[in-house]
Amino acid sequence: MNDMNIVERNVTTDTFKITARKVQVYYGEKHAIKDVDVDILDKTVTAFIGPSGCGKSTFLRCINRMNDTIDVARVEGEIKLDGENIYDKRVDPVQLRAKVGMVFQKPNPFPKSIYDNVAYGPRIHGLARNRADLDEIVEKSLRGAALWNEVKDRLQEPGTGLSGGQQQRLCIARAVATAPEVLLMDEPCSALDPIATSQVEELIDQLRKEFSVVIVTHSMQQAARVSQKTAFFHLGNLVEYGDTDDIFTNPQDPRTESYISGRIG
Amino acid sequence: MTDVTDTAAFGPGGERHTSGSLLTESARTRKRNAAEKRFKAYGIGAIAIAILSLVFLLTSIIGDGASAFRQTYASIPVTLSADVVDPDGNRDPEEMSGVYSMSYGSLLTDSLRNWIEQEGIQIEGLTDADLSGFFSNEAQASLRNQVLDNPELVGQTVEMTALTSSRVDGMFKGRVSEESASRDAKTSVAQFQLAEAMRENGTLVTRFNSSFITKPDASDNRAEAAGIGVAILGSLYMMLIVLVLALPIGVAASIYLEEFAPKNRFTDIIEVNISNLAAVPSIVFGILGLAAFINFAGLPRSTPIVGGLVLTLMTLPTIIISTRAALKSVPPSIRDAALGVGASRMQTVLHHVLPLAMPGILTGTIIGLAQALGETAPLLLIGMVAFVSTYPGAPPAGFFDPASALPVQVYNWTQRADPAFFERASGAIIVLLVFLLCMNLLAIYLRRKFERRW
């Protein structure tokens, strides 16, 4: 693991943003997530790593209830956001998703203008009182996603015309525009080239100042580069969770060790 | 690598499959290439057969029907003798309307006889029946209307363009020859010769037949006056009803089934039934319409409203199936993206999915409408086959007036005796095909215009 550039960063906060207890997810008969307990810190990047099909994306999608859209998926246990159980009957998933934004694996901008892509969330949530407000939100979000300088002169052009990396940053800007508290990222760099990847990674580090970021990644190097906390999933179980440095340098569980040294995966 | 033996790399017999030069075709390759050529030939053959049938269809229809768009008229001076037209001499249209078109027919016959004498045309065996049968009954009626509109015409001699009978018209379209005229009870060789003489003279002209498109159907003995005006109007009204009813119902049903409905046994049954409905013979919808809309709901028969409702039922499955296919083809990532920023399901559908599915929905709808436009069988059962010679009123009240429909009018005319009706049936088919072509072009245009790539 010598080639890994592990950045020494102190976790700046110790308040728990999300606490999950005994979370079970079933896809029909299949038990996809088993007994996951995890506490995710505010203003921290938490990485979920693990081999394909281990349930890390599934668990991520539980946090903003995107699994609701899958008919056969069933979630048990509780996930609390700021102490409120998001699976409570009274919780409207639409309201939850405004607080918990999401960036997907493949850049998926709407086939609309760059401006409308970013403005869509604020519009439907009524975050802007007037056009000037909306302009400001769009600019701030695009700046936040480190995209403003590249697109400020062509805000009315279609978002689908941007390059892959720009599209992904546009999606981040779109997620940021609704002023969420948590940002979920499902392998946000897997469809990007190395340069775009490093741009997005830099951005993730910036986003940590304002959000609690949870990122699913296939790349252990990426987890090491961007995260302060790392959770290792294997076959639906959360095997190990702790400071990123500890997981990569001193794993407690033999499965974690095998995975990060490349023996399972 | 230790478990792979050397022979395993060459197949069971241990032979290499390549042998000999690359420049000569092996037997196997030759066979494969021959099969490929055969397959291509089958495809080209199939396309050639399809094109040939299309060409045959179009030439036969246009050959039979193009003449319906031209009609023969005679322009001769007609003396509107006051004795016949206005026996009381008061020039009062009220009183003059007591004179029937028959009397105007005798005016036309007399005028024609005078004209022949004036021009010095000699034809052997020309009888009164030939003269009176020269003009269409429609010509008498239109002369009468003209006089009633302008009573000051009475007593004058006016240049009149009169519609000729279907036999005389047929002489100009190659339908009636001198030989066939001799065997025809409705015409004669003398009439044929008269028509020839009048044509050389320039009195008989063939010109574009606008009344074919605008006028209503006519009775059996006035084939030359029959038009598709009422049928076009009826078809148009029905298409309006189908569009207004089937599009929203179909799209709403598809959106619910595709985006909201839980996937369970009940929705599976609905799905299977919708697919089955699309394959139900259209005449069954006619029976249903007769029972439900006419017998049960008591709507008037032979009206565009009933036809439109029946065709709506028939078109719904087509629209639902194509709309669902269009909704399915919208990438799920767009739905995820919208849901991810906190859009509700309805917002996701209305703001993102529906606009992207629009070209597919519109194409499906127009194809469904085109299908409905050409549908005949269900309309026969709800009485649209009736003889309708008055235009339906303006919508929405006009939806409840009797009307005909283009395909039914075609069916109707092919049943009648006079060959002029057959020509008109082909003409109506041409009009129907032009409408269908326009609708399909519109579908292509809309698809191109709204198509987006992502």
Side-chain angles (χ1 to χ4, degrees), chain B residues 201-258:
Chain B
N201 191 289
T203 328
L204 222 48
V205 287
T206 307
R207 60 172 201 225
F208 179 67
N209 185 10
S210 60
S211 58
F212 173 62
I213 296 175
T214 56
K215 286 278 158 59
D217 191 10
S219 60
D220 277 358
N221 49 17
R222 290 188 301 142
E224 61 283 348
I228 53 175
V230 172
I232 288 181
L233 221 52
S235 279
L236 190 76
Y237 283 6
M238 287 196 294
M239 288 307 104
L240 271 177
I241 293 167
V242 173
L243 186 68
V244 167
L245 291 179
L247 183 62
I249 297 176
V251 170
S254 322
I255 289 178
Y256 177 75
L257 284 174
E258 201 56 45

Side-chain angles (χ1 to χ4, degrees), chain A residues 128-157:
Chain A
R129 278 189 310 278
N130 50 39
R131 179 82 192 187
D133 265 11
L134 197 58
D135 287 349
E136 200 185 312
I137 294 175
V138 169
E139 180 176 342
K140 195 171 147 256
S141 309
L142 284 170
R143 277 191 198 281
L147 192 61
W148 175 253
N149 287 330
E150 290 159 64
V151 300
K152 64 182 173 198
D153 299 323
R154 43 178 179 143
L155 290 175
Q156 294 310 321
E157 283 175 33

